[in-house]
Amino acid sequence: MQTLLGILPDALAYGMVLFTISIGLSIMMGLMRVVNLAHGAFAMIGGYLASFALTSLGVSYPIAILIAVIGTVIVSVPFEFLLYRRIYRRSDELTQILLTIGITFFIVGIANYIFGPTSKPIPLPDLLKGPFDLGLRMIPAHRLFVIGCGVVTAVALWLLIEKTEFGVRLRAAVDNGDMAEALGIRTQIVYSATFALAVGLAAFGGVVGAELLPVEPYYALRYMVTFLVVVSVGGAGSVTGAMAASLLLGLADTTGKYLAPEFGEFFFYVAVIVIVYVFPHGLFGKAH
Amino acid sequence: MATLSVTSAPQSAAAGLRNDLIAAAVIAVVGAIGYFVFPDDLAFLIRVIGLAFLVISLDLVTGYCGVATLGHAALFGVGAYAAGNVCLAGVTDPILMLLTGVIAGTATGLMSGLLVTRFRGLPQLVLSIAFGQLVAALANKLSSITGGSDGLAGIAPGPVFGVFNFDMFGRTGYIFSVIVLLVTMVTLLRFSRSPFALMCRAIKDDTLRARMIGVAVYPRLVVMYCVAGAVAGLGGALTAINTGVVGLDSVGFERSAEALIMLILGGAGNLWGALIGAILFELFHHYVSAASPFHWMILIGLLLIVVVLFFPKGLVNEVTRRIGDLRQRRAAR
């Protein structure tokens, strides 16, 4: 029971970080069918910008998050305009994989050229530093904050996709891009907006999740496949699926690390193989 | 997907033999040039040859069958660990070590192939990644047979055929590697013209149509994966023999990703492209990475973007196409 109580908050927090970062990729893959291995690179840019804002500019934590998200979206614009646009919906996976690996390498190289090859601290505000008394046991306040961020992101996205004009256009483009275009939806704009949303969410997740996935020079390479795996398990384009996959994989990974630390990622990938083999389109995905 | 990549009809037996001889001669001559021009860099050249096997193996599944995989290093690494282990167990004959690598690679290829080729697209890619990561995690943890993060060290192969000892300058190792590469390459060039390999290309070009004309797609891809596993395992064993150590990097994700990059630089679907891609990538790496690892990442990233966007068929295929165009124009004149 004690172990279970120890594992659950960590697993939940880790799962929520995975969700916050991966959900952007999931929406992007559901809509544009781009296997984007550079998603982690944008999370890394967010982490770098937040670290820079906090340590060099001395702004407060919320402002730093804002700077990171907006800054990353701005940085991503030329990539979208020059590169991603060419591979939306039409290229085969191999082209997409290679192009986005190229982008990742490029971003890792540039980020380290500018900011130096050291890991980047993202100091927490005092409010989130201490432990928090849940009544049952103490857990770090930051864990709660991350879990809260994940829940808020999920609800906000659900509202955006189900209840707004933009969501209607997005769902129309997902279901049938050509027909949506024929009906007067400017799909290119929907794609670009979705890309910006995905990148912004990646940056947000990169900053708030920095305690669990520390921001360091090879961040983009280290977690390159993790986010893709989450999306694939959950099913591309599904918010529910991404949430389920993140929590499940977060649980598998954290439990494995608690109970059999010597086997590290073994359980994580066993879970992935079993799930993908049984549900090739993901837990909540649709066949295209 | 409608573009056909098979450009030539199966050749006559005589033409095939001539091509094989030319291929053997080219590898022998280039190998000799490497030996005499860069006598101090033989260790580097040996490393390149070892990696070339991995890229050629990847070409068999990616270039010939259209399987997108990011876990191919597992096949290479298992071969290397297997060869290292039999050597440590007392079987020091290099040929037997190579054979062990081939068997281990084939077995890993079979498992990987059964899993990966069952699907197409995203599930295929993710399964290949997961398989590779699984093998990497096991290699890290089963330290009794892999040496864990320290690597498997102390592999001391005996003399080739009981005559040629491996020397510290890598002369024997280099010649041995070139010969193994030559034999493998000629064999695979023949194999790539076989009806089996041509049918794999057909599956790549149009799986549905292949299925309609009665091709059993899944078993064919699994068999091709086994062949690729044999080639990768051979390369792994060769690397283990030459370097004497097998590290975790030989099964890692980076190795898989790099192999894919090498293949695309050279040109998928062409065994020469795979070979030349491996050589180009490693040369580039050798010189730029010495300056700064991060400059290297920027440059390789840019190069990859440029190749994918402007030369999607790879540099070798691009050059041969240009030469072909030139010849046609000359013939028309």
Side-chain angles (χ1 to χ4, degrees):
Chain A
M1 193 62 197
Q2 266 305 313
T3 334
L4 190 70
L5 280 179
I7 294 175
L8 269 184
D10 277 357
L12 205 55
Y14 182 60
M16 284 300 182
V17 172
L18 286 183
F19 171 77
T20 318
I21 300 180
S22 311
I23 184 61
L25 181 62
S26 178
I27 296 176
M28 191 170 159
M29 280 170 64
L31 176 57
M32 285 97 102
R33 320 260 160 84
V34 176
V35 179
N36 182 14
L37 288 171
H39 196 68
F42 293 112
M44 183 175 93
I45 296 179
Y48 269 65
L49 289 176
S51 173
F52 176 75
L54 282 165
T55 51
S56 302
L57 302 179
V59 298
S60 66
Y61 193 70
I63 303 288
I65 293 181
L66 209 62
I67 291 179
V69 171
I70 295 173
T72 310
V73 172
I74 293 172
V75 169
S76 76
V77 167
F79 289 101
E80 201 271 343
F81 193 73
L82 292 173
L83 301 174
Y84 279 96
R85 236 168 235 206
R86 296 163 185 265
I87 55 170
Y88 289 161
R89 276 180 173 249
R90 46 187 94 119
S91 297
D92 60 319
E93 283 90 22
L94 204 57
T95 311
Q96 300 176 343
I97 295 167
L98 287 156
L99 188 68
T100 51
I101 288 180
I103 292 170
T104 310
F105 277 23
F106 181 72
I107 290 177
V108 169
I110 292 282
N112 287 283
Y113 181 71
I114 298 175
F115 294 104
T118 52
S119 64
K120 301 292 161 213
I122 299 186
L124 290 171
D126 294 333
L127 187 67
L128 298 179
K129 261 183 197 155
F132 187 84
D133 193 357
L134 268 187
L136 283 167
R137 58 177 276 130
M138 311 284 269
I139 64 165
H142 173 259
R143 297 277 191 279
L144 275 186
F145 171 66
V146 170
I147 295 169
C149 283
V151 173
V152 170
T153 309
V155 173
L157 276 176
W158 183 78
L159 287 175
L160 178 75
I161 293 174
E162 299 293 330
K163 303 284 174 197
T164 64
E165 178 77 26
F166 174 74
V168 172
R169 285 163 196 271
L170 191 145
R171 278 181 289 143
V174 169
D175 285 345
N176 192 333
D178 293 336
M179 184 54 87
E181 188 131 7
L183 290 174
I185 294 173
R186 313 260 292 269
T187 46
Q188 189 63 61
I189 294 179
V190 177
Y191 292 163
S192 299
T194 308
F195 183 85
L197 178 71
V199 166
L201 284 168
F204 177 65
V207 179
V208 298
E211 290 286 305
L212 291 149
L213 307 179
V215 178
E216 37 100 18
Y218 288 104
Y219 182 96
L221 296 175
R222 179 156 312 180
Y223 304 112
M224 189 181 237
V225 297
T226 314
F227 307 131
L228 186 72
V229 163
V230 171
V231 173
S232 172
V233 167
S238 159
V239 179
T240 331
M243 182 59 95
S246 302
L247 294 180
L248 206 64
L249 293 176
L251 191 68
D253 192 64
T254 315
T255 315
K257 274 180 186 151
Y258 262 90
L259 300 181
E262 65 274 23
F263 278 95
E265 293 186 309
F266 185 80
F267 292 105
F268 184 86
Y269 284 106
V270 169
V272 170
I273 290 180
V274 171
I275 296 174
V276 175
Y277 199 82
V278 180
F279 305 98
H281 297 290
L283 294 171
F284 291 82
K286 280 179 275 184
H288 287 302
Chain B
M1 274 297 155
T3 50
L4 290 177
S5 58
V6 181
T7 46
S8 56
Q11 296 149 316
S12 67
L17 196 64
R18 203 190 61 206
N19 278 357
D20 290 345
L21 286 176
I22 294 175
V26 167
I27 294 177
V29 168
V30 174
I33 292 175
Y35 184 84
F36 290 111
V37 179
F38 305 103
D40 301 327
D41 293 322
L42 290 183
F44 168 71
L45 295 178
I46 287 172
R47 182 188 140 81
V48 175
I49 294 175
L51 285 175
F53 280 92
L54 174 62
V55 184
I56 291 169
S57 158
L58 182 63
D59 197 12
L60 289 178
V61 294
T62 302
Y64 283 79
C65 302
V67 175
T69 160
L70 272 173
H72 211 66
L75 281 57
F76 180 88
V78 170
Y81 279 123
N85 271 303
V86 295
C87 182
L88 292 176
V91 184
T92 54
D93 184 71
I95 306 292
L96 285 181
M97 285 173 70
L98 287 184
L99 207 61
T100 317
V102 169
I103 294 168
T106 311
T108 319
L110 176 65
M111 281 189 281
S112 177
L114 283 172
L115 206 59
V116 169
T117 58
R118 186 119 163 64
F119 305 100
R120 285 255 151 191
L122 184 63
Q124 179 177 64
L125 177 69
V126 170
L127 280 174
S128 79
I129 292 172
F131 183 82
Q133 301 287 64
L134 202 63
V135 171
L138 282 179
N140 191 12
K141 296 311 161 193
L142 300 177
S143 47
S144 53
I145 53 171
T146 65
S149 51
D150 297 334
L152 191 66
I155 302 165
V160 186
F161 300 127
V163 184
F164 306 102
N165 269 306
F166 283 95
D167 56 299
M168 61 175 288
F169 305 105
R171 291 196 189 113
T172 312
Y174 180 74
I175 295 170
F176 183 56
S177 304
V178 170
I179 292 173
V180 176
L181 178 69
L182 194 153
V183 173
T184 313
M185 196 68 184
V186 171
T187 315
L188 286 179
L189 283 169
R190 286 211 85 101
F191 173 68
S192 72
R193 294 193 301 266
S194 69
F196 178 85
L198 289 175
M199 199 51 88
C200 284
R201 291 200 158 208
I203 293 172
K204 178 198 169 195
D205 289 337
D206 197 331
T207 311
L208 185 64
R209 189 177 294 176
R211 198 164 272 145
M212 288 298 138
I213 59 173
V215 180
V217 170
Y218 181 48
R220 263 175 204 272
L221 293 182
V222 172
V223 171
M224 193 58 149
Y225 235 96
C226 291
V227 176
V231 177
L234 183 66
L238 193 65
T239 308
I241 290 170
N242 281 315
T243 53
V245 281
V246 183
L248 277 181
D249 60 328
S250 58
V251 286
F253 174 75
E254 283 82 11
R255 178 66 56 89
S256 299
E258 276 179 4
L260 197 57
I261 297 173
M262 295 179 201
L263 179 62
I264 292 310
L265 289 186
N270 181 339
L271 294 172
W272 290 108
L275 184 58
I276 293 172
I279 296 171
L280 283 182
F281 182 93
E282 281 300 316
L283 278 178
F284 194 52
H285 187 190
H286 191 62
Y287 287 106
V288 182
S289 192
S292 155
F294 292 118
H295 288 161
W296 151 248
M297 296 202 78
I298 299 176
L299 282 177
I300 194 70
L302 280 178
L303 184 66
L304 197 53
I305 293 170
V306 168
V307 168
V308 171
L309 289 184
F310 300 109
F311 310 104
K313 292 205 185 303
L315 298 174
V316 172
N317 286 332
E318 186 68 22
V319 170
T320 46
R321 192 182 60 83
R322 290 262 162 96
I323 293 174
D325 281 0
L326 217 65
R327 268 197 197 152
Q328 268 183 357
R329 230 175 283 156
R330 216 173 268 170
R333 214 179 278 163

